[in-house]
């Protein structure tokens, strides 16, 4: 992989496990393998998914163990995924992934705990982002919930600001818009920050986790997204480098083969008649629309597929969104490849081990950025 002047990692939510022991096992079993495959002498950044169980288990001994591991293997903590609170693999996750959401105390305390762990695990960091849910699952949210959700986000921001004062590490709560959630489109994200009305001392402590798969599913344009976020003065805590499914014409029905029981696969389809976008909470709902004779000229589906895939043989991808967006980013924006649903991809479309695919994805990003810079 070409040398980069920016931090690039992958999110460890691709590996099953909710405990701190699971995290350390995955570092030893997978992260080191990825690091070795990439080669080079640069320090290896880590994107850790820390579930609630793991966050509660970490003590001083575990912190010391992690720091020693990083020193031994020339690695460091770059970012934390604090989105999934509980079990994230091998059981039905679907809309439960957003629970507890920002209406609930559990989300507040969990997020504060992750801030505490961030400054303890990497005490020499300059900045660490912690991604989180886009307020709540949209069908479950009412307008009367806004006051509670906003006050909870502000409470965590105040906690992060105090930690920054004490430790000199800038912490960013990075809220991640996602289809079928309260924050879904870039427009909704901007409206949220206007509603939140952050005081000046907290503006750097709440931002966005910009997930490329999610915004591509919304039929948004990378250049326009970034321009609007910048104009609104919103911090991008990190960018999750991910790709969605895309199909048009006769390929559209092939998307239904990606329906599986673990994750929610929201779909956004463009109507053939008038070009309007129609949203579906999951693929079975989209399948019913097709069965009822609805006509679409293109559909995109929330399913994180390997980013080096332009086409999967039966359907396409939103890789072009990444090719447009990545060179536009500031070089201090952390990049985190996130292909957590690798095991959910139909088996005949999977090639190689998880570690081999992660290394290939990171290499693809590095080469893209190097080519654009030359």
């Amino acid at each position: 992989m070409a040398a980069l002047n920016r931090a690039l990692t992958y999110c460890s939510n691709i590996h099953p496990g909710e405990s701190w022991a699971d995290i350390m096992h995955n570092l030893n079993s997978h992260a080191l393998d990825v690091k070795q495959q990439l080669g080079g002498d640069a320090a290896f950044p880590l994107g850790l998914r820390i579930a609630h169980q793991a966050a509660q288990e970490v003590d001083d001994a575990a912190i010391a163990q992690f720091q020693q591991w990083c020193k031994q293997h020339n690695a460091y903590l770059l970012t934390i995924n604090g989105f999934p609170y509980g079990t994230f693999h091998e059981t039905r996750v679907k809309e439960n992934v957003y629970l507890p959401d920002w209406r609930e105390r559990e989300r507040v305390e969990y997020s504060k705990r992750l801030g505490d762990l961030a400054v303890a695990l990497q005490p020499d960091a300059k900045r660490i982002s912690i991604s989180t849910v886009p307020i709540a699952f949209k069908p479950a949210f009412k307008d009367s919930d806004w006051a509670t959700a906003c006050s909870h986000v502000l409470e965590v921001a105040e906690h992060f600001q105090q930690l920054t004062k004490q430790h000199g590490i800038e912490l960013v709560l990075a809220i991640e818009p996602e289809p079928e959630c309260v924050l879904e489109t870039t427009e909704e994200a901007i409206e949220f920050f206007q509603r939140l009305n952050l005081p000046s001392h907290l503006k750097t402590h709440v931002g966005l986790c910009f997930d490329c798969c999610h915004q591509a599913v919304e039929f948004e344009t990378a250049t326009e997204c970034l321009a609007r976020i910048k104009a609104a003065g919103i911090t991008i805590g990190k960018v999750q480098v991910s790709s969605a499914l895309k199909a048009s014409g006769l390929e559209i029905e092939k998307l239904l083969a990606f329906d599986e029981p673990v994750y929610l696969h929201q779909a956004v389809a463009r109507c053939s008649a008038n070009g309007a976008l129609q949203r579906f909470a999951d693929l079975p709902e989209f399948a019913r629309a097709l069965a009822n004779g609805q006509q679409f000229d293109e559909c995109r589906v929330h399913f994180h597929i390997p980013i080096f895939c332009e086409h999967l043989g039966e359907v396409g991808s939103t890789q072009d969104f990444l090719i447009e967006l990545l060179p536009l980013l500031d070089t201090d924006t952390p990049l985190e490849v996130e292909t957590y649903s690798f095991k959910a991809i139909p088996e005949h479309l999977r090639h190689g081990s998880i570690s081999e695919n992660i290394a290939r994805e990171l290499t693809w990003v590095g080469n893209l950025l190097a080519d654009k810079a030359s």
Side-chain angles (χ1 to χ4, degrees):
M1 182 174 72
L4 292 177
N5 61 341
R6 62 178 68 195
L8 168 65
T9 186
Y10 79 95
C11 185
S12 70
N13 65 354
I14 192 172
H15 309 307
E18 315 305 319
S19 70
W20 184 254
D22 291 330
I23 289 176
M24 295 307 301
H25 169 76
N26 289 329
L27 288 176
N28 284 303
S29 300
H30 299 290
L32 288 183
D33 189 12
V34 172
K35 183 176 186 292
Q36 183 177 18
Q37 290 186 55
L38 294 175
D41 299 324
F44 187 66
L46 302 172
L48 292 187
R49 185 239 162 172
I50 304 179
H52 174 256
Q53 178 185 338
Q56 296 304 114
E57 291 172 348
V58 176
D59 55 15
D60 289 345
I63 291 169
Q65 175 197 23
F66 176 80
Q67 291 176 348
Q68 179 57 37
W69 187 94
C70 286
K71 183 177 180 181
Q72 178 183 353
H73 298 292
N74 193 24
Y76 66 96
L77 176 63
L78 173 68
T79 183
I80 293 174
N81 185 329
F83 193 126
Y85 181 92
T87 303
F88 192 59
H89 285 273
E90 298 168 356
T91 187
R92 186 186 187 279
V93 177
K94 297 291 184 179
E95 68 275 11
N96 293 326
V97 74
Y98 312 113
L99 298 175
D101 60 38
W102 280 100
R103 297 172 293 181
E104 301 170 74
R105 286 301 312 173
E106 292 90 340
R107 177 60 63 175
V108 176
E109 299 307 323
Y110 170 54
S111 302
K112 286 182 177 180
R113 175 62 176 159
L114 293 180
D116 296 340
L117 288 178
V119 298
L121 292 169
Q122 194 65 47
D124 60 349
K126 293 182 179 179
R127 188 174 188 252
I128 297 177
S129 59
I130 300 170
S131 53
T132 189
V133 296
I135 306 302
F137 188 48
K138 190 174 278 183
F141 194 82
K142 305 184 295 292
D143 281 345
S144 57
D145 293 326
W146 272 118
T148 299
C150 287
S151 69
H152 283 167
V153 170
L154 287 169
E155 182 179 337
V156 173
E158 291 280 4
H159 184 70
F160 282 9
Q161 201 257 348
Q162 289 302 313
L163 289 172
T164 295
K165 275 187 176 180
Q166 294 168 19
H167 301 275
I169 302 171
E170 184 176 80
L171 294 178
V172 184
L173 182 70
I175 299 173
E176 182 181 336
E178 181 171 313
E180 202 64 14
C181 292
V182 173
L183 303 190
E184 178 170 358
T185 64
T186 297
E187 177 68 24
E188 287 171 332
I190 291 171
E191 289 174 355
F192 165 70
F193 277 88
Q194 292 170 344
R195 181 191 296 271
L196 192 62
N197 193 24
L198 287 165
S200 58
H201 70 288
L202 297 181
K203 284 190 179 295
T204 59
H205 296 290
V206 185
L208 289 178
C209 169
F210 188 98
D211 189 300
C212 300
C213 167
H214 299 171
Q215 302 319 123
V217 166
E218 296 294 333
F219 282 77
E220 295 191 347
T221 303
T223 303
E224 183 180 351
C225 285
L226 289 183
R228 296 192 65 193
I229 291 167
K230 184 177 181 179
I234 299 171
T235 298
I236 295 181
K238 66 178 171 184
V239 167
Q240 284 186 325
V241 183
S242 54
S243 194
L245 295 169
K246 179 174 74 172
S248 58
L250 296 176
E251 286 186 338
I252 288 177
E253 288 205 7
K254 301 288 187 180
L255 292 169
L256 303 183
F258 289 82
D259 183 29
E260 51 83 35
V262 177
Y263 303 113
L264 201 62
H265 297 298
Q266 304 93 318
V268 180
R270 188 170 60 204
C271 296
S272 300
N274 57 14
L277 297 180
Q278 188 168 342
R279 291 173 168 82
F280 303 90
D282 206 352
L283 278 172
E285 185 182 332
F286 180 58
R288 288 192 291 272
L290 292 177
N292 289 333
Q294 288 188 250
Q295 299 289 317
F296 305 101
D297 61 23
E298 186 175 324
C299 181
R300 303 180 183 189
V301 176
H302 176 215
F303 196 123
H304 290 228
I305 61 173
I307 60 175
F308 50 75
C309 294
E310 180 181 2
H311 205 276
L312 289 173
E314 297 173 322
V315 296
S317 77
T318 59
Q319 188 193 76
D320 56 341
F321 188 96
L322 292 176
I323 293 171
E324 178 185 347
L325 178 126
L326 292 176
L328 300 176
L329 297 171
D330 293 338
T331 55
D332 61 353
T333 302
L335 305 179
E336 181 184 47
V337 171
E338 194 203 22
T339 311
Y340 63 82
S341 51
F342 177 75
K343 285 187 175 180
I345 295 173
E347 190 170 355
H348 71 285
L349 296 174
R350 281 183 260 154
H351 305 284
S353 69
I354 287 178
S355 296
E356 288 170 341
N357 277 273
I358 293 169
R360 187 176 171 189
E361 289 186 294
L362 294 172
T363 299
W364 183 87
V365 176
N367 290 342
L368 170 68
L369 292 173
D371 289 344
K372 294 293 183 180
S374 61

